[in-house]
Amino acid sequence: MGLTLIKSDINIDFLRWRNWAISLSLFIIFVGLISLILRGGPKYGIDFAGGTLIQIKFFKPVKIDMIREVLKGLKIKDVTVQRFGKIEENEYLIRMPLAIDSLKRISESLKEVLEEKLGKNSVEIRRVEMVGPKVGKDLRRKALLALFYAVLIIGIYISGRFEMKWGTSLIMAAALFGVVYIFLLLKAPLSFLVLIAFITTLFLYALLNLRFALGAILALVHDVLITLGIFSLLNKEIDLLIVAAFLTIIGYSLNDTIVVFDRIRENMRKATKERFTSIINRSINETLSRTVLTSGTTLMALLALYLFGGGVIHNFAFALLIGVIAGTYSSIFIASPVLSLLEGRQLFLLKTKKAR
């Protein structure tokens, strides 16, 4: 006997709240985008922005102003100091915008000056990292490309897998690559290229009537934008770990959406005369127990990672927590409602006329 948290005969009308759900999502995304614009884009970590990062642990409480005063004495400019991890751990991160040639020299000088002020063996240099500006720019470019190709390939796969239109998917992929190639010849910036490719993808999905693919991709973009917006609102950094979290969120969200979409397709074959909105509602209800169990256990693991995993992976775990919540929400309240809106205005309308 399987574990069931929700009764098998449950019948919640999820689509009744689709306008509220979509409005709520648009509002959160809008606030996140405004935050990104006001801050001049995401706050990049040392991986992408370049520079030097030093993590210091003090064995007794210190004030952040004292650390800044010490750094002024070392004549290091444009330094930012921030607490790292829990307050009682007394750890701080020091960021310098420029890459320093001798990491060993700067860390030893810093430790020496701090110990002069606080006493011997009162300071431990736990981490020293340096990334050159060119390497940071290259890493940022590759991370953007990784996200872009992940969404693109997923879209092509879903349109072929769910719509059974592999030929159409290949035509769409060829058209998309053609557009990207033309803009590459025009030497368009990568961020602009990604935006154009994304708009072209959505346009082609709508034009070729790839509803499942459109619903799934919009849900993925929804999850990433919400996570990115919350990171911007909380002024958290985007680094390689967070990009890895974004890719994980995309995979998790897609997995959840595929389960619901698969049940919708199955029920569409069984109940040809049932209203499409009713089929969607029934499919979400039938997969609700699985969704709650999977998301619940994943969230418990992530919460443990967030609370006890340490400062280095704190933001990574936080991104996954937000992403899994957004992904679960979007598979029920975004992907399926978008599918219902598109279906009701096109193929389903034709079927209804034929049935009459």
Side-chain angles (χ1 to χ4, degrees), residues 220 223-224 227 244-254 319-320 323-324:
L220 296 186
D223 302 340
V224 172
T227 309
F246 283 155
L247 289 170
T248 310
I249 291 166
I250 287 173
Y252 183 87
S253 173
L254 182 67
L320 288 178
V324 168

Side-chain angles (χ1 to χ4, degrees), residues 60-120:
K60 58 183 180 182
V62 294
K63 290 185 177 177
I64 200 164
D65 291 337
M66 186 279 291
I67 303 173
R68 290 196 180 106
E69 284 300 317
V70 170
L71 291 168
K72 276 183 186 176
L74 290 173
K75 297 180 180 177
I76 302 173
K77 296 179 180 177
D78 301 325
V79 178
T80 58
V81 183
Q82 69 178 85
R83 190 181 291 281
F84 182 70
K86 297 175 183 173
I87 295 175
E88 60 271 20
E89 290 174 347
N90 292 315
E91 291 193 35
Y92 291 87
L93 289 179
I94 298 172
R95 287 184 174 80
M96 306 168 203
L98 297 176
I100 294 173
D101 294 334
S102 176
L103 293 178
K104 189 177 178 183
R105 182 176 57 79
I106 187 69
S107 62
E108 284 178 352
S109 301
L110 185 59
K111 184 179 179 182
E112 192 178 314
V113 176
L114 286 170
E115 284 189 338
E116 278 179 14
K117 207 168 185 68
L118 300 170
K120 199 162 179 62

Side-chain angles (χ1 to χ4, degrees), residues 12 38 53 79 109 111 117 120 126-127 137 145 149 152 167 185 203-204 210 226 234 240 243 275 287 292 325 333:
I12 301 172
L38 292 177
L53 180 143
V79 178
S109 301
K111 184 179 179 182
K117 207 168 185 68
K120 199 162 179 62
R126 293 203 150 181
R127 180 167 45 135
K137 189 178 178 183
L145 281 175
Y149 284 118
L152 175 65
L185 290 178
F203 173 73
L204 288 172
L210 301 173
I226 282 188
L234 299 177
L240 281 174
V243 173
R275 290 178 64 234
T287 54
V292 171
I325 293 170
F333 291 105

Side-chain angles (χ1 to χ4, degrees), residues 50 69 76 78 82 134 139 168 195 218 251 274 297 321 329 348 354:
E69 284 300 317
I76 302 173
D78 301 325
Q82 69 178 85
K134 286 185 179 177
L139 286 173
T168 307
L195 181 65
L218 286 177
E274 189 176 350
T297 49
L321 271 172
Y329 169 84
F348 191 69
K354 193 180 280 186

